[in-house]
């Protein structure tokens, strides 16, 4: 819900401030009187009179000059104050300072600092070259994939296919998230110009495909991107020249001003001749360098984006339950209001007069009296953040207290291992758990990842989830471990199936694990890369955990952040499996990994031992066979018939229709060779 991002961030900051965990100041971008090249307002007026311009704008420029002359020489004046005295927006104030510099009235000494990388493996210059080359190649790829696309028309780009084509063309380090970043950069190009349209308009169709709408002709798009890249190269060179001689390292601080950066662009006379508004090109080019991780804007990012200055409190504590209590009451009240609205609708469908009476009582009675009159005996239902019908389908329909307890677990950041016997509803519990997170916990479906051992199981999970929660299921990512690894690294076998073997998949898994762990990157960059790759995932659910092999184990470990020192960086892991069965040992799967789950993820196992599939005789025989196996995790938890069938004959329906065995288990001799068997 990106439209409310800003509001939610500000609300969260306000509540942290309420809890005395921080204090907030509005960010102040300072301009200093030393930037003036005139001594009086009259002198500025004289210079302005020589240049034709709209009278209102002349008055606004004089107001800025007057404010600068009056400002304290040491403290300067903030852009917010300049906005107040001139009546201009932040963007217009930046433009005004640029114009005052051009007219010889002031120099734009708005301070700007940025972190750059020099003399290390991935220097800023190397990052710039990679981003620029990749952008050129991606534009060519877009043109090749949709050569007849005209302005205003749309095409669909499959990210993994595009990544594979670019890798085949020699761009070794390209990933789907890199492609998305470059696409977003192209979508922003030109938005600050008249009309406010970017070169592209993007719409994510799913995790792997993007709808691309062309909003400029290809030639205009390429020219805009080229000018921005050229300007960015000059800006990067200037920032690097601001460092002390011989400086080497990551995150070195380069200090300059917007005025000097403007001069760096205008020194290129060919570029200056092609550009209408150098100030806007400066803004866009600097932000593009920041977006592509070539540099990291520090002081000065607030020049381009709304910002706050946050002072953390001295007390080292988190946002605890007591802090959250007032918010909890607010949200509980909202949940009740939604249930009341649902009741109003239901009553209105039957008799509108009754619905109106409910509405009148809602605004005139206290809450307890209202609920006793209109929703009696439904206190528990009113706490659920979903409709009664949805709750019944997801939780109550299970008719098994153990399954219900596992599905409706409301603990935060708690890893869970469900040890489930054969036929005990492992996949059903996993599917209902996902449905509960989406419908009852109101978790974003796009933050949920379900991993299955094979494609058939993944398809089955998708089908069941769709039956349970409808269209909401589309947002949930359900893949095999191999398919998820392919998505992370951008591997595609389209048209290359004959070149694929087991080693290919292992190499892809190793590459995905290295990416998630940030192998070879400094800690801060490794964290940023992991966050971008995970793209908002909060919950991982794994089906048939006993069937995973070494590569899958390492992938799940890297995904969940098992070895991360920071608890906040870890994802919640929910796994279902049966330590008594492992049919893929021939392919490297090992039951040892499920045995290590408790130690790996600090999780106490839950047990599902009611069997919905087999008869009493079969279950009794199976318990006898498996009981002597070594290192069992379900020792002391024998499988039993589900409670709905407890009174049925032990042989089930076969007890009546099979006169030979009466539904008992038979041992049949089959000989000692393959033919007789």
């Amino acid at each position: 819900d990106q439209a409310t991002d800003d509001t939610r961030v500000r609300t969260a900051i306000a509540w942290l401030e309420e809890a005395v965990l921080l204090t907030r100041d509005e960010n102040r971008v300072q301009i200093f009187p030393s930037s003036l090249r005139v001594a009086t307002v009259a002198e500025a007026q004289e210079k302005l009179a020589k240049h034709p311009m709209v009278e209102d704008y002349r008055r606004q420029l004089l107001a800025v000059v007057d404010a600068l002359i009056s400002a304290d020489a040491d403290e300067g004046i903030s852009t917010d104050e300049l906005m107040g005295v001139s009546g201009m927006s932040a963007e217009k104030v930046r433009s005004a300072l640029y114009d005052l510099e051009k007219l010889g009235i002031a120099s734009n000494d708005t301070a700007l600092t940025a972190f750059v990388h020099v003399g290390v493996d991935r220097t800023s210059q190397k990052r710039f070259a990679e981003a620029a080359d990749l952008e050129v190649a991606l534009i060519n790829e877009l043109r090749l994939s949709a050569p007849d696309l005209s302005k205003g028309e749309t095409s669909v780009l499959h990210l993994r296919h595009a990544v594979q084509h670019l890798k085949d063309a020699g761009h070794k380090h390209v990933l789907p998230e890199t492609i998305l970043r470059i696409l977003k950069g192209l979508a922003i190009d030109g938005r600050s110009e008249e009309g406010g349209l970017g070169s592209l308009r993007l719409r994510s169709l799913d995790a792997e495909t993007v709808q691309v709408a062309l909003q400029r002709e290809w030639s205009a798009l390429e020219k805009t991107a080229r000018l921005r890249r050229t300007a960015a190269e000059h800006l990067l060179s200037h920032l690097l020249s601001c460092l002390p001689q011989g400086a080497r390292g990551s995150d070195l601080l380069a200090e300059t001003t917007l005025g000097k950066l403007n001069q760096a662009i205008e020194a290129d006379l060919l570029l200056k001749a092609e550009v209408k508004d150098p100030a806007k090109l400066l803004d866009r080019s600097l932000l593009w360098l920041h977006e592509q991780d070539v540099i990291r804007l520090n002081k000065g990012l607030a020049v381009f984006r709304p910002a706050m200055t946050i002072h953390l409190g001295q007390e080292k504590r988190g946002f605890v339950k007591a802090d959250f209590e007032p918010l909890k009451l607010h949200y509980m009240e909202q949940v009740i209001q939604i249930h009341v609205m649902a009741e109003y609708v239901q009553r209105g469908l039957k008799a509108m007069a009754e619905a109106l009476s409910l509405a009148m009582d809602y605004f005139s009675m206290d809450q307890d009296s209202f609920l006793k009159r209109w929703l009696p005996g439904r206190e528990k239902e009113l706490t659920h953040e979903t409709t009664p019908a949805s709750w019944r389908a997801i939780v109550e329909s299970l008719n098994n207290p153990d399954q219900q307890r596992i599905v409706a677990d409301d603990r935060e950041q708690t890893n869970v291992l469900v040890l489930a016997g054969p036929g005990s509803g492992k996949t059903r519990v996993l599917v209902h758990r996902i449905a509960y997170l989406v419908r009852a916990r109101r978790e974003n479906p796009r933050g949920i990842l379900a991993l299955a051992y094979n494609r058939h199981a993944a398809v089955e999970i998708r089908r069941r989830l769709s039956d349970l929660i409808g269209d909401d299921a589309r947002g949930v990512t359900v893949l095999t471990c191999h398919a998820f690894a392919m998505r992370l690294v951008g591997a595609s076998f389209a048209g290359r199936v004959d070149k694929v073997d087991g080693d290919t998949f292992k190499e892809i898994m190793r590459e995905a694990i290295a990416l998630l762990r940030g192998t070879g990157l400094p800690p801060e960059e490794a964290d940023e890369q992991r966050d971008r790759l995970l793209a908002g995932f909060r919950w991982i659910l794994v089906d048939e955990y006993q069937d995973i092999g070494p590569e899958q184990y390492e992938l799940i470990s890297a995904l969940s952040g098992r070895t991360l020192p920071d608890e906040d960086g870890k994802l919640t892991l929910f796994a279902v499996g049966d330590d008594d069965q492992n049919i893929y040992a021939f392919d490297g799967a090992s039951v040892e990994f499920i045995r290590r789950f408790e130690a790996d993820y600090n999780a106490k196992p839950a047990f599902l031992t009611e069997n919905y599939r087999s008869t009493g005789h079969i279950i009794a025989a199976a318990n006898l066979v498996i009981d002597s196996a070594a290192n069992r995790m379900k020792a002391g938890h024998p499988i039993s018939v589900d409670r709905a069938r407890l009174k049925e004959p032990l042989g089930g329906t076969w007890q009546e229709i099979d006169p030979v065995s009466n539904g008992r288990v038979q041992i049949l001799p089959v000989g000692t060779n393959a033919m007789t068997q």
Side-chain angles (χ1 to χ4, degrees):
D1 186 17
Q2 291 181 339
T4 64
D5 277 353
D6 186 66
T7 303
R8 283 184 288 145
V9 168
R10 288 175 186 277
T11 305
I13 293 290
W15 277 95
L16 290 171
E17 196 170 20
E18 186 81 13
V20 202
L21 289 167
L22 55 82
T23 52
R24 164 181 47 165
D25 294 332
E26 290 305 315
N27 213 68
R28 293 166 64 84
V29 179
Q30 298 295 104
I31 314 293
F32 291 91
S34 58
S35 62
L36 285 170
R37 294 176 186 169
V38 293
T40 63
V41 174
E43 194 180 337
Q45 200 165 10
E46 190 179 320
K47 286 196 173 190
L48 287 172
K50 296 174 183 175
H51 300 275
M53 63 181 70
V54 176
E55 198 55 44
D56 274 353
Y57 188 51
R58 196 191 311 272
R59 181 183 50 75
Q60 289 174 320
L61 290 177
L62 284 170
V64 169
V65 172
D66 188 25
L68 283 169
I69 287 172
S70 307
D72 185 288
D74 294 323
E75 290 188 15
I77 188 167
S78 74
T79 48
D80 289 347
E81 290 170 284
L82 291 180
M83 286 161 62
V85 298
S86 65
M88 291 189 283
S89 66
E91 191 178 337
K92 290 286 187 186
V93 166
R94 287 205 308 280
S95 181
L97 290 169
Y98 176 76
D99 285 342
L100 288 172
E101 183 167 37
K102 268 201 313 188
L103 296 167
I105 295 172
S107 58
N108 190 349
D109 67 352
T110 307
L112 185 138
T113 60
F115 293 104
V116 294
H117 318 283
V118 182
V120 291
D121 280 346
R122 298 196 67 236
T123 64
S124 287
Q125 285 179 314
K126 188 175 179 183
R127 293 173 189 222
F128 171 79
E130 284 177 5
D133 290 349
L134 196 53
E135 182 174 75
V136 172
L138 180 59
I139 292 171
N140 289 335
E141 176 70 23
L142 289 170
R143 294 197 71 165
L144 281 171
S145 62
D148 300 323
L149 201 67
S150 299
K151 182 180 174 182
E153 294 179 340
T154 61
S155 176
V156 173
L157 179 71
H158 193 286
L159 293 175
R160 262 199 299 136
H161 293 176
V163 169
Q164 192 63 59
H165 290 163
L166 291 167
K167 280 185 175 177
D168 293 343
H171 299 275
K172 292 181 180 177
H173 303 298
V174 62
L175 297 169
E177 65 91 10
T178 325
I179 294 286
L180 268 177
R181 259 191 292 160
I182 290 173
L183 284 172
K184 286 174 182 174
L186 291 168
I188 296 170
D189 279 354
R191 279 193 192 168
S192 59
E193 295 173 16
E194 199 172 335
L197 287 178
S199 293
L200 299 175
R201 188 179 72 250
L202 306 176
R203 179 168 166 251
S204 179
L205 300 179
D206 57 40
E208 298 208 86
T209 50
V210 180
Q211 186 186 73
V212 179
L214 192 62
Q215 300 195 137
R216 277 188 178 79
E217 295 298 345
W218 284 118
S219 56
L221 177 147
E222 286 180 313
K223 180 182 177 184
T224 303
R226 175 178 57 78
L227 293 174
R228 186 242 304 131
R229 287 195 304 272
T230 304
E233 189 171 13
H234 292 315
L235 295 176
L236 178 59
S237 295
H238 171 74
L239 287 168
L240 293 173
S241 72
C242 296
L243 296 173
Q245 191 74 28
R248 294 171 65 87
S250 292
D251 288 335
L252 301 177
L253 193 64
E255 298 185 56
T256 186
T257 66
L258 285 179
K260 290 175 182 175
L261 288 167
N262 262 321
Q263 289 167 20
I265 287 179
E266 294 196 338
D268 184 334
L269 298 179
L270 289 175
L271 182 63
K272 187 178 179 182
E274 285 192 88
V275 175
K276 293 179 187 174
D277 192 337
K280 285 181 179 176
L281 181 62
L282 166 65
D283 287 5
R284 179 69 202 110
S285 304
L286 261 182
L287 284 172
W288 183 79
L289 287 169
H290 178 79
E291 290 156 7
Q292 304 304 319
D293 280 343
V294 176
I295 65 171
R296 188 154 50 86
L297 286 173
N298 181 38
K299 186 178 179 181
L301 186 54
V303 173
F304 308 105
R305 293 178 178 169
M308 302 174 191
T309 300
I310 304 291
H311 304 283
L312 291 179
Q314 295 302 306
E315 193 178 350
K316 301 290 183 187
R317 68 176 183 88
F319 191 72
V320 295
K321 201 170 181 180
D323 297 318
F324 186 69
E325 208 56 41
L327 259 182
K328 185 180 177 184
L329 290 170
H330 167 72
Y331 287 122
M332 281 172 60
E333 182 64 32
Q334 283 200 320
V335 170
I336 290 171
Q337 286 173 0
I338 293 166
H339 281 287
V340 170
M341 284 300 298
E343 185 66 19
Y344 171 82
V345 172
Q346 294 301 322
R347 301 261 183 171
L349 290 170
K350 295 173 186 173
M352 199 58 215
E354 203 174 319
L356 291 171
S357 178
L358 178 148
M360 296 293 287
D361 284 352
Y362 179 79
F363 291 107
S364 59
M365 298 171 73
D366 66 82
Q367 189 180 82
D368 287 344
S369 303
F370 173 82
L371 295 177
K372 281 177 186 173
R373 178 172 179 183
W374 290 99
L375 293 99
R378 288 161 64 178
E379 292 81 6
K380 194 172 181 183
E381 177 189 304
L382 293 175
T383 64
H384 299 155
E385 293 183 47
T386 190
T387 63
S390 177
W391 181 267
R392 284 193 294 272
I394 294 167
V395 180
E396 292 176 4
S397 68
L398 293 167
N399 290 322
N400 180 317
D402 293 329
Q403 291 183 351
Q404 288 174 343
R405 195 161 41 248
I406 292 165
V407 165
D409 186 351
D410 277 332
R411 291 176 297 172
E412 292 284 346
Q413 288 187 308
T414 302
N415 297 320
V416 175
L417 172 64
V418 182
L419 285 171
S424 61
K426 290 192 288 291
T427 304
R428 188 182 191 213
V429 164
L430 183 135
V431 168
H432 280 249
R433 176 63 180 163
I434 296 171
Y436 181 82
L437 290 173
V438 173
R439 285 286 173 85
R441 286 283 300 268
R442 318 311 297 177
E443 293 287 343
N444 184 349
R446 295 187 184 279
I448 300 172
L449 169 65
L451 295 173
Y453 186 79
N454 55 44
R455 281 194 296 173
H456 170 77
V459 169
E460 179 64 12
I461 290 170
R462 282 193 209 105
R463 185 190 64 76
R464 291 195 195 186
L465 197 55
S466 181
D467 289 345
L468 201 53
I469 59 173
D471 285 347
D472 285 343
R474 292 181 185 174
V476 179
T477 301
V478 185
L479 293 169
T480 65
C481 286
H482 289 102
F484 185 68
M486 288 174 68
R487 179 179 289 188
L488 284 180
V489 306
S492 171
F493 299 143
R496 307 164 71 240
V497 178
D498 56 323
K499 298 176 184 176
V500 177
D501 55 25
D503 289 339
T504 309
F505 279 111
K506 285 183 179 178
E507 181 54 41
I508 287 169
M509 292 287 273
R510 282 193 287 267
E511 191 180 340
I513 293 161
L515 283 170
L516 286 168
R517 288 184 173 155
T519 305
L521 294 176
E524 189 173 289
E525 284 188 40
D527 288 344
E528 286 177 12
Q529 178 169 286
R530 175 181 159 79
D531 288 343
R532 283 200 301 265
L533 289 167
L534 290 178
F537 285 128
R538 283 196 60 207
W539 306 83
I540 310 170
L541 299 97
V542 186
D543 195 24
E544 305 289 7
Y545 194 82
Q546 79 282 347
D547 287 335
I548 66 170
E551 290 85 12
Q552 290 100 319
Y553 173 81
E554 292 296 338
L555 181 74
I556 292 166
S557 175
L559 261 173
S560 63
R562 180 174 68 87
T563 58
L564 291 178
D566 181 10
E567 288 296 321
D568 290 340
K570 298 182 179 182
L571 276 63
T572 302
L573 182 59
F574 178 99
V576 293
D578 183 359
D579 63 306
D580 288 332
Q581 55 172 305
N582 176 222
I583 61 171
Y584 292 104
F586 69 89
D587 200 28
S590 173
V591 75
E592 199 53 45
F593 298 126
I594 198 169
R595 292 188 181 130
R596 285 166 51 180
F597 192 97
E598 188 173 344
D600 284 344
Y601 298 102
N602 192 26
K604 293 288 182 188
F607 296 91
L608 289 181
T609 55
E610 287 189 29
N611 179 291
Y612 291 84
R613 179 190 300 156
S614 305
T615 65
H617 281 319
I618 293 173
I619 290 168
N623 279 331
L624 287 170
V625 169
I626 200 68
D627 193 49
S628 60
N631 301 319
R632 292 187 65 223
M633 298 178 74
K634 292 200 298 300
H637 297 273
I639 307 302
S640 62
V641 175
D642 70 278
R643 65 195 65 198
R645 296 187 297 142
L646 280 174
K647 294 181 181 178
E648 288 185 7
L650 291 177
T653 53
W654 288 100
Q655 190 153 321
E656 295 293 329
I657 62 176
D658 179 4
V660 177
S661 69
N662 299 125
R664 288 171 297 179
V665 176
Q666 297 179 71
I667 299 174
L668 304 176
V670 293
T672 56
N673 62 65
M675 287 299 291
T676 59
Q677 288 171 13

